[in-house]
């Protein structure tokens, strides 16, 4: 059987490796519109500030490794631009030669990821304005930054915006974040976002809220010199646009493949699309949310690798299901860590879930061991059934551990009261006798 995989990163190559490891005699062909296979996108900010020494360190396997060691046919700079589902054909452009190509498949996996949103603002093509999604994106930013670049403006206060604010501050730049809403990191509730604002202010990051970008002005060399908003102008030497992503699925229009949330390909638990023998996984596909009990779109590398694995096994007739997500994430922002899993109060209310919350101030370690590790814990739960709905935790250390405990509890549909009975590890350098999430559960 011949398998074609569109996309050479997390989901696509996870699927390819499952086919290689669990079947024999098949042909696997992959098409990637970029030049890099299987790299860690989430590490890109850390190459810019030097924590990761080189973008090469982000590459897990090269196209040559996949081809020579595993027998997977790899094609870089090959963009698939259309699919004929009836003829089972893909068509595209080979950017090495400029020629068109076509290929036949028995089963197809779409793992094309997502593209950074880049609104059609006036002057958006000016030199010095960037997005960050690929290794070439990071390298262009590093090539542009020099001692003459002093002021950097980040448009968007989400995860990429926050990570890049820290990265660019680390290398001595003056950073401003422009956010059209009222706060940063809107996946958190407002009371928790206040802690993020405090940290940004402490680190001399200028925050500008409730302003909408309208365009950019350039100097006589065509380089960006200011951001124009509906409230005025902001001088800058470099702009990073970080206003979310859109699933890369537009080339599938007219195929009959159903797309839903934000244009992501709707898939079932087996990663099957609505067209026979066509699968999808990763940032171009939906993820089933176990708490919302419906398809969602939360593009993360963790989901992409899991979905790719599931897709690969199902493509070779080894039935496996993707069990869904609970919405877990974490980010380092200067001296604090921001963790969230499940639903915020705002999300629960939007779903018309009966809910309430409890918030406590605690510490990562025993109080007498360390008095400088504050941690704020917020649990959201159903005030009628007591079902746990979510958690938000912000602190200097130990956030990851607590978020993962709650994520596991959410996966298993535990109540807020059952958290109290968990047997969690304890020693003064790591915890109190009652873990912070148990303290919050007791308060609830």
């Amino acid at each position: 059987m011949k398998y074609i995989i569109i996309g050479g990163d997390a989901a696509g190559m996870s699927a390819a490796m499952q086919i290689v490891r669990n079947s024999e005699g098949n042909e696997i062909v992959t098409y990637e519109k970029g030049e890099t296979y299987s790299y860690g996108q989430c590490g890109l900010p850390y190459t810019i500030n030097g924590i990761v020494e080189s973008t090469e360190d982000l590459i897990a396997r090269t196209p040559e490794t996949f081809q020579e060691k595993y027998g997977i046919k790899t094609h870089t700079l090959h963009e698939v631009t259309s699919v004929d589902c009836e003829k089972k054909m893909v068509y595209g452009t080979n950017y090495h030669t400029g020629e068109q190509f076509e290929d036949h498949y028995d089963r197809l996996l779409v793992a094309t990821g997502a593209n950074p949103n880049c609104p059609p603002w006036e002057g958006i093509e000016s030199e010095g304005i960037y997005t960050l999604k690929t290794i070439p994106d990071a390298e262009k930013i590093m090539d542009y930054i020099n001692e003459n670049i002093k002021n950097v403006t980040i448009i968007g206060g989400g995860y990429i915006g926050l990570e890049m604010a820290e990265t660019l501050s680390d290398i001595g730049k003056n950073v401003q974040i422009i956010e059209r809403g009222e706060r940063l990191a809107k996946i958190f509730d407002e009371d928790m976002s206040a802690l993020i604002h405090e940290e940004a202010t402490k680190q001399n990051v200028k925050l500008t809220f409730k302003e909408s970008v309208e365009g950019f002005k350039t100097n006589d060399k065509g380089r960006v010199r200011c951001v124009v908003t509906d409230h005025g102008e902001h001088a800058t030497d470099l702009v990073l646009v970080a206003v979310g992503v859109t699933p890369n699925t537009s080339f599938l229009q007219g195929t009959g493949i159903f797309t839903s949330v934000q244009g992501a390909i709707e898939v079932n638990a087996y990663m099957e699309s609505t067209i026979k023998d066509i699968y999808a996984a990763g940032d171009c596909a939906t993820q089933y949310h176990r708490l919302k009990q419906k398809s969602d779109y939360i593009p993360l590398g963790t989901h992409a690798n899991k979905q790719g694995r599931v897709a690969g096994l199902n493509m070779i007739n080894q039935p496996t299901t993707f069990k869904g997500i609970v919405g877990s994430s974490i980010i380092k922002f200067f001296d604090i860590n921001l963790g969230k899993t499940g639903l915020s109060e705002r999300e629960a209310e939007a779903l018309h879930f009966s809910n309430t919350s409890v918030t406590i101030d605690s510490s990562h370690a025993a109080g007498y061991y360390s008095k400088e590790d504050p941690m704020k814990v917020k649990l959201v739960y159903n005030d009628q059934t007591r079902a746990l709905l979510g958690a938000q935790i912000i602190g200097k250390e130990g956030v990851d551990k607590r978020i993962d405990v709650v994520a596991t509890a959410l996966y298993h549909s535990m109540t807020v009261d059952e958290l109290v009975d968990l047997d969690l590890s304890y020693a003064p350098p790591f915890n109190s006798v009652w873990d912070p999430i148990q303290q919050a559960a007791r308060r609830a």
Side-chain angles (χ1 to χ4, degrees):
M1 186 169 284
K2 182 175 181 179
Y3 299 97
I4 288 182
I5 297 172
I6 310 174
D9 201 12
M13 300 319 292
S14 291
M17 291 304 298
Q18 290 303 312
I19 297 171
V20 167
R21 289 168 173 161
N22 295 283
S23 67
E24 295 180 352
N26 296 305
E27 182 181 3
I28 307 168
V29 181
T30 63
Y31 292 106
E32 165 57 46
K33 72 176 182 179
E35 297 184 81
T36 310
Y37 270 63
S38 197
Y39 68 97
Q41 292 182 16
C42 300
L44 290 172
Y46 307 109
T47 63
I48 294 171
N49 63 5
I51 291 177
V52 177
E53 291 185 3
S54 167
T55 55
E56 295 290 322
D57 295 335
L58 301 179
I59 299 172
R61 294 188 178 101
T62 64
E64 293 75 20
T65 299
F66 283 117
Q67 193 146 308
E68 295 167 7
K69 186 174 181 178
Y70 301 106
I72 300 168
K73 295 179 181 178
T74 58
H75 299 278
T76 60
L77 294 176
H78 280 62
E79 181 177 10
V80 174
T81 54
S82 64
V83 176
D84 188 323
C85 302
E86 292 186 4
K87 294 181 180 179
K88 290 193 167 184
M89 295 288 295
V90 299
Y91 304 89
T93 302
N94 175 353
Y95 293 118
H96 288 289
T97 64
E99 298 175 336
Q100 301 300 299
F101 71 88
E102 60 181 49
D103 205 351
H104 178 270
Y105 64 86
D106 293 309
R107 286 183 177 164
L108 173 69
L109 172 65
V110 181
T112 47
N115 295 321
N117 292 334
C118 212
W121 293 317
E122 183 178 353
I124 188 67
E125 301 296 332
S126 303
E127 190 176 356
I129 301 174
Y130 300 97
T131 57
L132 182 63
K133 188 69 167 63
T134 66
I135 285 178
D137 290 340
E139 291 174 340
K140 287 176 184 176
I141 292 171
M142 288 188 282
D143 288 343
Y144 193 81
I145 290 176
N146 55 42
E147 65 275 6
N148 296 320
I149 303 298
K150 301 185 184 303
N151 301 310
V152 177
T153 302
I154 297 171
I155 303 173
Y159 271 13
I160 294 296
L162 294 180
E163 287 180 336
M164 284 301 292
E166 177 181 355
T167 287
L168 293 164
S169 293
D170 283 350
I171 58 174
K173 307 307 177 185
N174 302 317
V175 178
Q176 176 181 13
I177 299 176
I178 298 177
E179 167 57 51
R180 69 179 180 180
E182 297 182 347
R183 55 195 178 89
L184 304 175
K186 285 174 282 192
I187 64 168
F188 289 86
D189 284 319
E190 190 170 354
D191 54 338
M192 301 297 283
S193 290
L195 299 177
I196 306 171
H197 297 172
E198 289 175 10
E199 182 66 16
T201 301
K202 172 187 167 186
Q203 302 293 342
N204 297 313
V205 175
K206 181 181 178 182
L207 302 180
T208 302
F209 296 114
K210 295 192 285 188
E211 291 194 24
S212 296
V213 173
E214 295 182 344
F216 307 92
K217 291 184 178 180
T218 60
N219 61 22
D220 55 5
K221 295 181 179 179
R223 295 184 172 186
V224 66
R225 66 173 178 84
C226 76
V227 181
V228 181
T229 74
D230 55 353
H231 282 62
E233 298 182 358
H234 302 273
T236 193
D237 302 313
L238 183 148
V239 173
L240 178 75
V241 180
V243 291
V245 297
T246 298
N248 185 15
T249 58
S250 60
F251 72 100
L252 298 172
Q253 289 179 1
T255 61
I257 296 172
F258 181 69
T259 57
S260 60
V261 188
Q262 296 186 40
I265 299 167
E266 183 74 28
V267 291
N268 61 19
Y270 300 92
M271 299 293 104
E272 296 170 315
S273 75
T274 50
I275 300 293
K276 181 176 171 57
D277 292 330
I278 297 182
Y279 299 73
D283 292 358
C284 65
T286 58
Q287 302 91 31
Y288 177 74
H289 198 297
R290 294 174 66 92
L291 291 158
K292 297 179 182 180
Q293 296 186 6
K294 63 179 183 180
S295 293
D296 206 345
Y297 183 65
I298 303 178
L300 292 173
T302 48
H303 310 331
N305 279 279
K306 292 187 185 81
Q307 286 189 320
R309 172 184 175 274
V310 170
L313 290 170
N314 285 303
M315 291 171 77
I316 55 173
N317 301 319
Q318 294 190 16
T320 310
T321 57
F322 178 65
K323 301 301 190 298
I325 66 172
V326 295
S328 303
S329 62
I330 191 166
I331 179 176
K332 177 184 178 294
F333 184 54
F334 292 101
D335 295 334
I336 61 174
N337 300 312
L338 323 173
K340 177 184 178 289
T341 188
L343 306 178
S344 64
E345 280 188 292
R346 181 174 53 84
E347 289 171 317
E349 288 163 7
L351 292 163
H352 306 292
F353 287 4
S354 178
N355 72 92
T356 189
S357 68
V358 60
T359 304
I360 67 161
D361 291 304
S362 187
S363 61
H364 159 61
Y368 55 79
Y369 185 89
S370 176
K371 295 180 171 62
E372 297 183 2
D373 287 324
M375 175 183 289
K376 186 176 286 288
V377 178
K378 180 173 186 175
L379 298 180
V380 181
Y381 59 98
N382 188 308
D383 54 359
Q384 295 181 358
T385 66
R386 309 286 291 172
L388 186 62
L389 296 178
Q392 298 160 64
I393 306 176
I394 296 179
K396 290 187 175 181
E397 292 188 54
V399 172
D400 51 348
K401 168 185 173 178
R402 275 79 186 195
I403 280 294
D404 287 344
V405 168
V406 178
T408 304
L410 289 169
Y411 185 92
H412 291 285
S413 304
M414 292 174 62
T415 66
V416 67
D417 304 301
E418 288 175 318
L419 289 176
V420 177
D421 297 321
L422 293 177
D423 181 16
L424 303 178
S425 60
Y426 160 70
F430 306 104
N431 215 338
S432 300
V433 290
W434 289 102
D435 186 272
I437 60 172
Q438 294 177 314
Q439 294 173 33
R442 293 178 69 188
R443 184 81 57 85

